[in-house]
């Protein structure tokens, strides 16, 4: 019978000898070539995306500019607005600076023209179909260091001939006129019961519309019709302010 096989025993080392242990490493062997890893470039954005971003940027700038412009504009506007609803602001161009009278903040409109006139002017306006609308407003200004009150009256007549006829009538003496707002007691001024007594007067005809302006100083003192006429002449432009159809 043969001798039983014994498991292989590890080699025995003599005293003083070092046991050999194989090295484990991840680095390539010297005989293997070294492989370089190239970095992949970042993908460039698509042309459509680039243009979309540019357009959005331009739109944002435009919107911001619009907001700034709106803010500046809305804070520059004077108070005022639609006819018959808010105060009608006087235009600034011209010789004199006119301000809306505080007792008449909105223009007064009426179709009863003769009801706001006196003398021969009243009789003329009472003719059938002669006058269809009357708009009146009041303003204040300063001339020669004194306060001036004026009334602006805009009348819509049936024709230009009628408007010219009314203009000629009101320029004559003792023929009456359209009643100013002081005479109608709409505006109350101490010591002043009408703007027609020694005050200024001017009128203008455009088509079938006539604008009549009367004015006077609100404080007692020497009358100066030349200055008052100049104020009334400048105030004729206010007719289109109180009535865009004038």
């Amino acid at each position: 019978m043969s001798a039983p096989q014994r498991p292989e025993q590890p080699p025995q080392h003599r005293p003083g000898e070092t046991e050999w242990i194989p090295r484990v490493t991840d680095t390539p062997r010297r005989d293997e070539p070294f492989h370089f890893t190239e970095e992949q470039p970042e993908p460039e954005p698509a042309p459509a995306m680039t243009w979309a971003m540019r357009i959005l940027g331009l739109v944002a700038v435009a919107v911001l500019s619009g907001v700034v412009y709106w803010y500046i504009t809305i804070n520059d506007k004077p108070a005022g607005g639609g006819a018959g609803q808010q105060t009608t602001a006087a235009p600034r161009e011209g010789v004199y600076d006119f301000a809306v009278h505080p007792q008449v903040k909105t223009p007064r409109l009426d179709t009863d023209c003769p009801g706001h006139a006196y003398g021969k002017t009243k009789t003329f306006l009472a003719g059938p179909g002669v006058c269809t609308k009357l708009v009146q407003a009041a303003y204040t200004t300063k001339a020669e260091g004194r306060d001036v009150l004026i009334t602006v009256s805009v009348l819509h007549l049936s024709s230009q001939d009628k408007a010219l006829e009314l203009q000629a009538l009101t320029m004559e003496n003792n023929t009456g006129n359209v009643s100013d707002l002081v005479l109608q007691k709409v505006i109350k001024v101490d010591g002043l019961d009408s703007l027609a007594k020694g005050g200024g007067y001017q009128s203008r005809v455009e088509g079938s519309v006539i604008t009549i302006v009367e004015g006077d100083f609100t404080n007692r003192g020497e009358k100066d019709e030349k200055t008052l006429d100049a104020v009334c002449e400048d105030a004729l432009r206010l007719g289109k302010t109180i009535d865009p159809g004038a």
Side-chain angles (χ1 to χ4, degrees), residues 66-212:
V67 171
V68 172
Y69 175 79
W70 173 83
Y71 178 80
I72 294 174
T73 303
I74 203 67
N75 281 277
D76 266 352
K77 286 185 176 180
Q85 297 296 326
Q86 298 178 1
T87 300
T88 303
R92 295 183 179 179
E93 67 277 4
V95 179
Y96 297 93
D97 292 327
F98 294 99
V100 175
H101 196 284
Q103 295 181 32
V104 187
K105 294 183 178 181
T106 57
R108 299 168 60 87
L109 186 151
D110 201 341
T111 56
D112 181 16
C113 300
H116 300 275
Y118 59 95
K120 293 181 180 180
T121 300
K122 179 182 180 73
T123 303
F124 174 82
L125 293 175
V130 171
C131 184
T132 59
K133 182 175 71 171
L134 168 65
V135 182
Q136 291 185 294
Y139 295 87
T140 60
T141 189
K142 280 187 176 294
E144 302 297 331
R146 301 171 65 184
D147 294 328
V148 178
L149 168 64
I150 64 166
T151 290
V152 181
S153 302
V154 178
L155 297 95
H156 291 252
L157 303 187
S158 57
S159 67
Q160 185 177 32
D161 289 340
K162 289 295 183 182
L164 291 171
E165 188 175 348
L166 176 60
Q167 183 183 43
L169 182 63
T170 56
M171 292 179 68
E172 295 178 7
N173 293 326
N174 302 317
T175 56
N177 204 333
V178 177
S179 302
D180 61 75
L181 295 179
V182 176
L183 181 60
Q184 296 182 52
K185 301 187 183 306
V186 175
I187 297 175
K188 297 180 180 180
V189 180
D190 291 338
L192 192 65
D193 56 7
S194 174
L195 300 179
K197 297 178 180 179
Y201 169 87
Q202 292 292 344
S203 62
R204 176 184 296 166
V205 173
E206 294 181 278
S208 60
V209 178
I210 178 172
T211 302
I212 297 175

Side-chain angles (χ1 to χ4, degrees), residues 23-89:
R23 295 178 61 188
V24 180
T25 177
D26 292 334
T27 59
R29 298 196 308 270
R30 292 175 179 253
D31 56 347
E32 292 183 354
F34 187 80
H35 297 283
F36 291 92
T37 302
E38 297 184 0
E39 294 184 0
Q40 297 296 326
E42 296 183 1
E44 296 184 358
M49 179 63 70
T50 302
W51 281 106
M53 295 300 291
R54 290 177 181 176
I55 292 173
L56 287 175
L58 292 174
V59 170
V61 172
V63 170
L64 181 60
S65 300
V67 171
V68 172
Y69 175 79
W70 173 83
Y71 178 80
I72 294 174
T73 303
I74 203 67
N75 281 277
D76 266 352
K77 286 185 176 180
Q85 297 296 326
Q86 298 178 1
T87 300
T88 303

Side-chain angles (χ1 to χ4, degrees), residues 6-29:
R6 297 178 181 273
E8 185 176 354
Q9 297 293 325
Q12 299 294 323
H13 299 275
R14 296 176 183 178
E17 292 184 351
T18 303
E19 181 180 1
W20 180 84
I21 301 175
R23 295 178 61 188
V24 180
T25 177
D26 292 334
T27 59
R29 298 196 308 270

